[in-house]
Amino acid sequence: MEVFMEAAAYLESQHIPVEAVGEPSPDPLQEDVFPEEDLFSPHQTDSMDLPDTPVLRTPVEMLDRRLMVLRTILDSERIYLNELETLLMPMKALKATAGTSQPVLSSQQVQTVFYQVPELRDLHRDFYTGLRDRLGHLEPQAHPETDNGPRPGLGLEQGEEKEQGQSGYQLMVGDLFLKIVSQLGVYRGFIDNYESAVEIMRRCTQTDQRFRILAESMMSHNGSDRTKTKYTFEALLYKPLDRITKTTLVLHDLLKHTPQQHSDHPMLQEVLRLSRGFLSGVNEGSQCKREVTLSRGMRRQLIRDGFVVDVCEGGRNLRHLFLYTDLLLCTKLKGGAQGKQPQYRFCWYLPMAGLKLHWGPEMELTTDTHHRIHATRAKMYLLRHELRQTMKCLAARTIERSRWKKMEQLELMILTHSPLLPLELHSPSGKSHTLVMSSLYELEEWREAIHKLTGDNREMVPPDLLTLTSSCVKLRMTQQPPFHSILPGEEQSLCGTLSVAVHSASGLQQPASVYVCVEVDGFEFYESHAQTHSSVSSLSPHWDQEFSFQVDGAQNLRVLCVLQTEEGESCEDRVLCKTSIQLDPGLLQKRWRRQTLSLGQVEVTMSLKYCPHPLDPPCLTPAQQQSIFCIPIGAVAQQEGVLVPHVVRCCVEEVERRGLEEVGIYRLSAATSDITNLKTAFNTSLREAVSRLRCVDVNAVSGILKLYFRELPEPLIPTELFQSFTKALDIPDLSSRSVTMLSLLQSCPSVNQNTFLFLLHHLKRVSDRQHVNKMPLMNLATVFGPSLLRPTVAVLGQCSPTVDISQEVEVQVQVVYFYLQCDNLPEAQTCISHDTETTEEDETTNI
């Protein structure tokens, strides 16, 4: 608050209005979009953050101010030329020493350090001379009472004012600005060479005392009074970079004070357009553009910026985050609507030194928020459909501006309230902030960038927050939130169903429990991310898990491999590696296409399939997952597109991850409430259920697995085979009995057979640790037999063999026990094969 008050006092001293603070913030859902005056539209030309200027009502007043702007430009050009001349002063001496036995710089290095500087000097010298000559004809007579003379147009008689106005209309400078802007390509070469020049200069400063003395004390004339200013060589080398932005700024100001009826107005409009085009084409991410000189010889550099959601006191706000080499700055972007300058307002900052990061568990939204988000998605879908219909009509484009604006408002609501992945920031000073993002890929990019800068020994210069925040307009690389309102090229994006099957991974350095996250971009009308269940600790994990995305405007697929670890009682995940691939509609087909993606140290094998088709509108309410308990196992497997239901695989792999040495696993019961909660989770959200599996008691995991088989309406081994199994157990010859038993197993439906095999192999691995968990094969058969095999229920009026309860249990246990003792059981297939259609299309993609 003290920082804000200091900033407010400064702004008031400059006659700049300051917003009041301390008012209660509105409900975050009521303020689901920015107010109209704060919207920043991608359809408007971005403007620089200039100081406020008085409203000028008459053309004469505008011409008066225009003349002042031109004289200011002239003074600035004179100073800039002096700086360029000072920068070039040592060039001849350095060239001369290059041919001696003790050169300061080689000829090639001299050429690199001063690359394009002479051309820049000549360019601006011509411009300065032309502007000076034209302004010389309008110089006022010296005022007897002041040194500077009267300000033109102020305090003049009516006739003098009219004459001044006519002279202002006759003054043409647009051609001078057009000439210099048309030659801005000279700056392009300077920018591309800048980093190499700075590297040579810094290296030579450290190794050569002669150059160091020269580079640290360069003097330049800085005004009409011939006073000199001391510069470093590096500071002078940075001047042309700063000049690029200033050119656009002064053009904006000059055009603003040029009446529309002035002959220069259309030409200056074109000049400003060209200047902005060049400025936007300059790589805003280049390090030279982002460095800010600080005290003590440090350089603060902008590493990354972007829009994130800041969670504060339960509210959510979309903020523009700037990551510098020594601090993290959070700001609010204001303005940018028509007729308003974009401005940044300071929110908070954290030093990089000692900053701790924590990727927290996925947040939960209230039911009301879920419904509002889905309703907003449905509105966006309908609005975009209407815009698509009218985009073909040129005359309708101006009419549809209000719809574009409404589309942006709806997207802002989605961007603000739908993200669920928190990144917690904890400073050694005790300050903490939570950022929430919708993409794990984006979160990991931020985490990586921040983590590299969090060394305890990193020096942090206390920032001038007012100056730093106001400079964000010039330094920013990201101009606006990640809108999709501007329609992507239909031929370059996907619209329809994208199916992704994640098969396996290889390349892990040591056995680990990992899972794969898949994200797809485009309009957020539907779910755009999914993740596999966590694998058992392995060097070569397998998932064979399939996902289906409804996509609109999708262009990129992001894949992340995440390591699941435990620290005490808390689970802490870590992204091992990631990659992003472009989705090419021309390569994707309606048949499965197998790919191996290189994510760095890990390779992930997956298959992709794309079916283009018109999409149905998203539901107004959140889509509810179909229940899986008390549902025939074949229906569940078909719904999930697998041969072994996810509930079975997830529970088995969680038990193998942390329950193989648990005494009495599958025999001891867990709390009924834990099992009930897990059942509810599996019936509503697989992702939530998998997340809960990791945190509950492992006996609850084994309990929910037993409950799933027990509540199947039809047992895993069909009831009509019960009598056949009973007879097979009575076969005296072991070899014949084995053949019959395996034949009966093969007669089961594919899902039942593979699920049973999957469970049997798991139980055998549990029994391998019986010396610790006290669960031999017979115990396991006793636990699972009654759930997996049941006799046919007698129906009134039908004849069926009578089986007493003791014989029934004995058959159930003996059948399972027999299979557990088999050494030649086939391996289970967990997923429908995606290879049958890709024999001629297999490929490996290294990214």
Side-chain angles (χ1 to χ4, degrees):
M1 192 63 184
E2 292 178 355
V3 173
F4 176 81
M5 296 305 295
E6 291 176 7
Y10 173 80
L11 291 173
E12 289 174 354
S13 69
Q14 303 297 316
H15 308 291
I16 299 174
V18 181
E19 286 191 13
V21 296
E23 298 178 2
S25 57
D27 176 74
L29 285 178
Q30 293 297 326
E31 193 185 11
D32 54 0
V33 294
F34 292 141
E36 261 189 39
E37 60 269 19
D38 289 344
L39 283 176
F40 26 106
S41 169
H43 310 295
Q44 297 170 7
T45 305
D46 194 16
S47 57
M48 295 298 176
D49 190 6
L50 295 171
D52 291 339
T53 54
V55 177
L56 304 176
R57 300 183 180 279
T58 67
V60 173
E61 289 177 327
M62 292 182 68
L63 291 172
D64 172 32
R65 182 57 66 92
R66 180 175 186 261
L67 191 57
M68 293 177 61
V69 170
L70 287 171
R71 286 177 177 145
T72 302
I73 293 173
L74 187 66
D75 291 339
S76 176
E77 282 290 314
R78 179 171 58 248
I79 295 172
Y80 180 47
L81 274 174
N82 288 334
E83 292 168 342
L84 291 178
E85 292 285 2
T86 304
L87 178 61
L88 287 170
M89 281 177 60
M91 184 174 68
K92 289 184 178 180
L94 291 172
K95 280 186 175 180
T97 62
T100 65
S101 59
Q102 293 183 330
V104 178
L105 295 174
S106 67
S107 298
Q108 181 62 41
Q109 289 175 327
V110 173
Q111 183 178 353
T112 301
V113 169
F114 296 98
Y115 184 71
Q116 295 289 59
V117 177
E119 288 79 2
L120 292 175
R121 178 199 55 192
D122 296 342
L123 174 65
H124 283 272
R125 179 186 288 167
D126 292 343
F127 174 75
Y128 171 77
T129 302
L131 185 60
R132 181 195 60 191
D133 293 344
R134 297 191 189 185
L135 288 177
H137 299 294
L138 295 178
E139 288 297 331
Q141 298 296 321
H143 197 277
E145 299 179 1
T146 65
D147 295 333
N148 299 327
R151 295 177 60 191
L154 298 178
L156 299 176
E157 297 296 332
Q158 184 175 359
E160 293 176 306
E161 184 177 329
K162 182 177 180 181
E163 181 181 351
Q164 181 69 48
Q166 291 175 346
S167 301
Y169 272 108
Q170 294 172 0
L171 177 62
M172 301 286 291
V173 295
D175 59 317
L176 295 177
F177 284 94
L178 182 60
K179 181 179 179 181
I180 193 171
V181 168
S182 64
Q183 299 181 60
L184 283 178
V186 179
Y187 276 95
R188 177 77 266 176
F190 180 88
I191 293 169
D192 294 339
N193 178 75
Y194 177 81
E195 290 186 30
S196 300
V198 170
E199 182 182 357
I200 293 173
M201 183 274 303
R202 290 177 179 174
R203 186 169 61 247
C204 192
T205 300
Q206 296 173 356
T207 59
D208 194 304
Q209 184 179 3
R210 296 170 297 171
F211 188 82
R212 181 166 61 252
I213 295 173
L214 170 69
E216 292 179 354
S217 57
M218 302 183 72
M219 307 298 292
S220 174
H221 294 293
N222 208 11
S224 58
D225 56 357
R226 309 302 292 174
T227 58
K228 291 188 176 182
T229 302
K230 183 178 179 180
Y231 292 94
T232 64
F233 193 97
E234 186 174 355
L236 288 173
L237 201 58
Y238 183 77
K239 290 296 180 179
L241 297 173
D242 192 44
R243 198 69 183 179
I244 299 171
T245 302
K246 285 184 177 179
T247 299
T248 303
L249 291 174
V250 297
L251 281 170
H252 181 277
D253 209 17
L254 181 61
L255 182 62
K256 183 167 60 176
H257 300 300
T258 300
Q260 290 191 1
Q261 59 270 33
H262 196 288
S263 301
D264 257 354
H265 193 274
M267 190 176 296
L268 288 175
Q269 277 187 318
E270 175 65 13
V271 171
L272 181 59
R273 185 189 69 80
L274 293 173
S275 178
R276 280 176 172 164
F278 178 81
L279 186 61
S280 63
V282 172
N283 181 11
E284 294 279 344
S286 65
Q287 296 186 9
C288 59
K289 186 70 173 64
R290 290 182 266 147
E291 291 181 345
V292 179
T293 304
L294 302 175
S295 60
R296 302 182 224 168
M298 283 191 61
R299 298 186 72 85
R300 175 173 293 137
Q301 177 185 331
L302 180 63
I303 304 300
R304 178 185 176 90
D305 73 302
F307 286 87
V308 299
V309 176
D310 180 28
V311 178
C312 181
E313 298 180 356
R316 287 170 169 248
N317 299 286
L318 195 64
R319 295 290 184 247
H320 200 160
L321 195 66
F322 292 84
L323 175 62
Y324 293 91
T325 45
D326 61 336
L327 62 89
L328 192 65
L329 175 67
C330 181
T331 66
K332 177 180 180 180
L333 178 61
K334 294 179 64 64
Q338 188 169 7
K340 296 214 171 192
Q341 303 289 349
Q343 296 179 351
Y344 283 96
R345 193 176 74 185
F346 171 79
C347 294
W348 51 262
Y349 86 95
L350 293 174
M352 286 293 100
L355 189 64
K356 303 297 182 184
L357 307 176
H358 175 63
W359 169 19
E362 186 172 308
M363 302 177 72
E364 294 185 8
L365 298 178
T366 64
T367 303
D368 180 59
T369 305
H370 267 301
H371 283 285
R372 297 194 67 169
I373 288 174
H374 282 270
T376 302
R377 285 174 171 169
K379 291 178 183 177
M380 287 175 61
Y381 175 90
L382 295 175
L383 189 57
R384 182 172 186 244
H385 179 73
E386 294 173 0
L387 288 169
R388 268 179 167 171
Q389 299 301 316
T390 57
M391 277 294 289
K392 300 176 182 179
C393 178
L394 184 63
R397 293 186 180 180
T398 55
I399 304 175
E400 296 305 322
R401 287 180 181 173
S402 60
R403 293 189 179 182
W404 283 116
K405 190 171 184 179
K406 181 62 177 176
M407 189 73 162
E408 291 169 14
Q409 290 177 326
L410 294 175
E411 278 199 273
L412 283 173
M413 189 275 182
I414 295 293
L415 290 172
T416 304
H417 297 289
S418 64
L420 298 176
L421 301 174
L423 181 62
E424 300 171 4
L425 310 170
H426 303 284
S427 175
S429 63
K431 294 182 180 180
S432 298
H433 293 278
T434 300
L435 307 175
V436 188
M437 304 178 194
S438 58
S439 164
L440 179 59
Y441 192 94
E442 180 188 7
L443 183 148
E444 178 61 15
E445 286 189 325
W446 274 106
R447 193 202 64 79
E448 286 179 346
I450 294 174
H451 184 71
K452 292 178 181 178
L453 303 172
T454 55
D456 293 332
N457 297 324
R458 180 173 295 276
E459 183 180 3
M460 194 292 199
V461 175
D464 178 352
L465 294 175
L466 189 63
T467 303
L468 184 62
T469 304
S470 63
S471 69
C472 288
V473 169
K474 183 176 73 171
L475 297 177
R476 60 181 177 168
M477 297 169 282
T478 305
Q479 302 292 322
Q480 62 194 26
F483 288 125
H484 286 93
S485 298
I486 302 176
L487 300 179
E490 298 295 334
E491 71 284 353
Q492 297 177 352
S493 61
L494 273 59
C495 180
T497 300
L498 176 67
S499 299
V500 181
V502 182
H503 302 304
S504 60
S506 60
L508 293 173
Q509 301 301 310
Q510 57 186 7
S513 297
V514 296
Y515 59 93
V516 172
C517 292
V518 180
E519 299 176 344
V520 63
D521 62 0
F523 279 88
E524 293 190 6
F525 300 145
Y526 312 91
E527 289 301 320
S528 59
H529 56 278
Q531 70 181 52
T532 67
H533 56 266
S534 181
S535 69
V536 181
S537 183
S538 169
L539 279 172
S540 301
H542 284 75
W543 297 280
D544 288 327
Q545 201 164 342
E546 182 181 331
F547 307 105
S548 182
F549 299 98
Q550 300 297 298
V551 295
D552 190 0
Q555 294 180 316
N556 296 283
L557 182 73
R558 295 166 172 176
V559 183
L560 304 96
C561 185
V562 185
L563 173 66
Q564 178 180 308
T565 59
E566 288 188 6
E567 296 182 2
E569 297 181 355
S570 63
C571 298
E572 182 77 18
D573 293 350
R574 178 167 62 88
V575 176
L576 287 177
C577 46
K578 65 185 189 305
T579 192
S580 177
I581 61 173
Q582 187 171 359
L583 297 171
D584 188 345
L587 296 178
L588 294 172
Q589 303 174 10
K590 294 183 179 180
R591 298 187 301 170
W592 288 103
R593 185 181 185 88
R594 195 178 185 91
Q595 292 183 322
T596 299
L597 304 182
S598 176
L599 282 67
Q601 71 179 66
V602 177
E603 290 187 343
V604 174
T605 302
M606 58 197 311
S607 295
L608 300 178
K609 181 173 68 173
Y610 170 54
C611 179
H613 60 80
L615 294 175
D616 294 328
C619 299
L620 291 175
T621 57
Q624 295 294 324
Q625 175 182 299
Q626 297 182 14
S627 298
I628 60 173
F629 278 77
C630 304
I631 304 297
I633 192 170
V636 174
Q638 183 179 11
Q639 170 187 321
E640 296 177 346
V642 295
L643 294 176
V644 178
H646 292 319
V647 60
V648 177
R649 296 182 60 188
C650 292
C651 291
V652 162
E653 294 183 357
E654 187 64 23
V655 169
E656 293 191 13
R657 192 172 68 86
R658 59 187 179 98
L660 290 181
E661 297 186 356
E662 186 75 17
V663 176
I665 190 71
Y666 289 121
R667 181 167 49 84
L668 299 180
S669 300
T672 304
S673 59
D674 287 345
I675 295 178
T676 302
N677 291 336
L678 279 176
K679 177 180 177 181
T680 302
F682 272 111
N683 276 333
T684 55
S685 171
L686 178 62
R687 290 185 62 196
E688 181 184 350
V690 171
S691 178
R692 290 192 179 188
L693 280 181
R694 298 170 49 190
C695 303
V696 299
D697 180 60
V698 71
N699 290 108
V701 180
S702 61
I704 196 69
L705 180 62
K706 292 187 294 182
L707 181 65
Y708 174 74
F709 288 118
R710 190 161 61 246
E711 291 191 349
L712 285 175
E714 291 291 332
L716 190 62
I717 298 178
T719 56
E720 58 267 20
L721 296 178
F722 186 86
Q723 292 300 324
S724 299
F725 277 110
T726 302
K727 295 176 180 178
L729 289 175
D730 293 334
I731 298 176
D733 181 63
L734 181 60
S735 177
S736 299
R737 189 192 314 162
S738 297
V739 171
T740 303
M741 294 289 283
L742 290 175
S743 176
L744 288 172
L745 180 58
Q746 292 173 355
S747 68
C748 294
S750 178
V751 171
N752 300 58
Q753 178 188 154
N754 283 284
T755 302
F756 186 47
L757 287 171
F758 185 82
L759 179 64
L760 290 173
H761 285 292
H762 163 63
L763 295 180
K764 293 177 74 170
R765 288 191 288 270
V766 172
S767 179
D768 290 341
R769 305 285 185 90
Q770 61 179 296
H771 60 284
V772 180
N773 58 39
K774 312 301 181 186
M775 292 298 294
L777 292 178
M778 179 53 75
N779 283 14
L780 292 168
T782 303
V783 169
F784 279 92
S787 300
L788 303 178
L789 180 65
R790 296 194 290 270
T792 305
V793 178
V795 179
L796 186 63
Q798 294 184 2
C799 296
S800 58
T802 58
V803 181
D804 61 48
I805 187 65
S806 60
Q807 183 183 2
E808 175 185 323
V809 172
E810 182 179 358
V811 172
Q812 293 168 333
V813 172
Q814 288 300 321
V815 168
V816 176
Y817 184 61
F818 177 86
Y819 285 116
L820 287 174
Q821 290 180 302
C822 287
D823 294 328
N824 59 341
L825 282 177
E827 290 293 330
Q829 299 296 318
T830 58
C831 190
I832 300 172
S833 175
H834 298 87
D835 300 333
T836 55
E837 300 172 320
T838 61
T839 53
E840 298 180 359
E841 300 179 12
D842 288 1
E843 65 176 32
T844 298
T845 305
N846 294 313
I847 299 176

